């Protein structure tokens, strides 16, 4: 179970001991290293090769799990790190642009009735709104373009920082710490560890960008006389006082670890299992289906921490800290207070994940000749 990065004599991809002759490890490593060689990953003599997959254009190779791993035809070596980050940035900007309307609605739902006793059918004396009710209310009062274009610059800023870092570092950690390589997958627990690490790192480095997005998207929930009427996110970043950089840091990092682990790992695993057990090929329909399912899983898993992050960043002075925010939310609104806006969170995650991951896969193909 020790990751290959931490092995003292590590000189290449980890090769598991032979189940037949565990005493002849050096001989076995030489043989298996030959089998893993990128130049011959489509050799028919590879162990556990699946001929049915090969016939439909999916090359298979022995994985670190002791089973065949579907690989993209023609890919014989890992892509350079810069390609991963370019794909992550391009996909994230598109994905965040597509999901921005859902983010506007989600954040407004999460602060709706904040600090007030939960009463059936009410939110601070006004009728509680659901997802479609909030959509309708924004369009009615602010217009379609005006209501959903405000704060878009904060999405671009966040996509260029948080999302790009987490997706890029997820791939870097999988390769360089746990030894993933073309033709060799790694156990799911190592993927989860990669997701936790990359998500936490990205959120820690980009916390001010999250704070800016929350403040921009909640500004219009306030009375007109106290609104800040922010200009654009990049200007806000330059003006943000250093003392505010850490506002909402703990729930933001906690949310990011859960989101990244559930989103990227579930996408990886769904693709892996579909290629192994179904007639699916590594193509657009599979990318859409896998990213949609990953979005659903991510939305359900992350919503409670998303609510805490939004409330602390929107009105941190109302709470003494993370624990106080949890206590007040539970006391005033009950368990379901942590799942406010959950349907919108799922819709938002599915929209982002499908848009971003499909674009990333296409960028990956476009950059493959370089």
């Amino acid at each position: 179970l020790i990751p290959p990065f931490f092995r003292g004599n590590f000189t290449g991809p980890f090769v598991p001991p032979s189940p037949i002759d565990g005493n002849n490890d050096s001989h076995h490593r030489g043989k298996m290293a030959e089998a893993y060689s990128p130049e011959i990953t489509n050799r028919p003599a590879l162990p556990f090769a699946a001929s049915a997959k090969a016939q439909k254009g999916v090359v298979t190779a022995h994985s670190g799990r002791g089973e065949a791993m579907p690989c993209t035809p023609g890919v014989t070596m890992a892509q350079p790190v810069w390609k991963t980050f370019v794909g992550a940035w391009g996909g994230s900007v598109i994905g965040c642009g597509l999901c921005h309307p859902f983010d506007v609605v989600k954040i407004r739902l999460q602060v709706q009735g904040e600090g007030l006793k939960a009463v059936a059918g009410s939110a601070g004396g006004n009728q509680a709104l659901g997802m479609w009710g909030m959509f309708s209310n924004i369009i009615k009062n602010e217009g379609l373009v005006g209501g959903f274009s405000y704060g878009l610059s904060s999405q671009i800023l966040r996509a260029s920082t948080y999302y790009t870092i987490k997706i890029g570092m997820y791939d870097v950690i999988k390769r360089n710490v746990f030894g993933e390589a073309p033709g060799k997958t790694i156990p799911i627990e190592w993927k989860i560890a990669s997701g936790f690490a990359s998500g936490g790192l990205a959120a820690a480095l980009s916390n001010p960008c999250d704070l800016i997005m929350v403040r921009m998207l909640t500004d219009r929930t306030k009375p007109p006389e106290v609104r800040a009427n922010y200009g654009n996110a990049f200007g806000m970043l330059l003006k943000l006082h250093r003392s505010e950089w850490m506002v909402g840091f703990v729930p933001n990092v906690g949310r990011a670890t859960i989101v990244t682990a559930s989103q990227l790992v579930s996408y990886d695993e769904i693709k892996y299992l579909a290629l192994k057990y179904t007639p699916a090929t590594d193509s657009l329909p599979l990318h859409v289906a896998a990213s949609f399912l990953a979005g659903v899983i991510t939305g359900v898993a992350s919503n409670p921490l998303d609510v805490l992050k939004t409330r602390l960043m929107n009105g941190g002075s109302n709470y003494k800290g993370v624990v106080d925010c949890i206590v007040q939310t539970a006391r005033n609104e009950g368990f379901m207070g942590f799942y406010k806006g959950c349907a919108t969170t799922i819709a938002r995650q599915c929209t982002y994940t499908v848009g971003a991951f499909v674009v990333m896969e296409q960028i990956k193909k476009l950059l493959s000749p370089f």
Side-chain angles (χ1 to χ4, degrees), residues 250-334:
V250 173
N252 187 37
V253 171
R255 171 194 174 275
T257 59
I258 291 174
V259 166
T260 309
S262 56
Q263 185 182 68
L264 299 181
V265 174
S266 58
Y267 180 73
D268 261 3
E269 286 297 298
I270 290 167
K271 274 186 63 179
Y272 172 81
L273 294 172
L275 289 168
K276 181 182 176 185
Y277 293 110
T278 73
T281 58
D282 192 8
S283 56
L284 183 61
L286 177 59
H287 301 161
V288 172
S291 53
F292 180 84
L293 291 173
V296 174
I297 294 169
T298 306
V300 174
S302 67
N303 202 79
L305 282 167
D306 205 23
V307 170
L308 296 177
K309 181 200 83 168
T310 298
R311 293 188 171 189
L312 284 166
M313 289 183 167
N314 176 51
S317 59
N318 298 331
Y319 307 103
K320 297 175 183 177
V322 179
V323 175
D324 185 50
C325 185
I326 294 171
V327 171
Q328 286 198 43
T329 302
R331 180 187 299 150
N332 295 327
E333 302 164 67

Side-chain angles (χ1 to χ4, degrees), residues 2-7 9-17 25 28-39 41 62-64 76-78 174-186 190:
I2 300 174
F5 180 79
F6 299 107
R7 290 172 173 261
N9 60 348
F10 174 66
T11 57
F14 169 63
V15 181
D25 185 61
H28 177 72
R29 286 181 66 86
K31 290 293 185 182
M32 290 304 293
E34 179 187 356
Y36 281 128
S37 177
E39 290 79 10
T41 51
H62 188 279
S63 78
T76 59
M77 60 183 296
K174 282 196 304 177
R175 287 192 213 168
N176 296 304
V177 176
F178 296 113
E180 185 173 78
K184 174 179 174 287
T185 190
I186 58 176
W190 292 358

Side-chain angles (χ1 to χ4, degrees), residues 83-117:
K83 293 185 182 181
T84 300
F85 280 92
V86 169
W89 178 81
S92 295
V93 169
I94 298 298
C96 285
L98 291 173
C99 76
H100 180 64
F102 289 107
D103 254 332
V104 173
V105 172
K106 178 199 76 171
I107 286 178
R108 294 197 188 186
L109 288 172
Q110 288 175 344
V111 299
Q112 181 179 232
E114 182 181 4
L116 301 173
K117 288 284 185 181

Side-chain angles (χ1 to χ4, degrees), residues 155-184:
Q155 291 281 12
I156 298 172
L157 176 63
R158 191 163 178 253
S160 302
T161 53
Y162 166 67
Y163 283 105
T164 302
I165 294 170
K166 82 169 186 178
I167 295 170
M169 289 306 299
Y170 175 71
D171 197 49
V172 168
I173 293 170
K174 282 196 304 177
R175 287 192 213 168
N176 296 304
V177 176
F178 296 113
E180 185 173 78
K184 174 179 174 287

Side-chain angles (χ1 to χ4, degrees), residues 65-84:
R65 298 178 176 182
E67 54 198 9
M69 174 190 172
C71 308
T72 305
V75 176
T76 59
M77 60 183 296
Q79 289 201 72
V81 171
W82 69 267
K83 293 185 182 181
T84 300

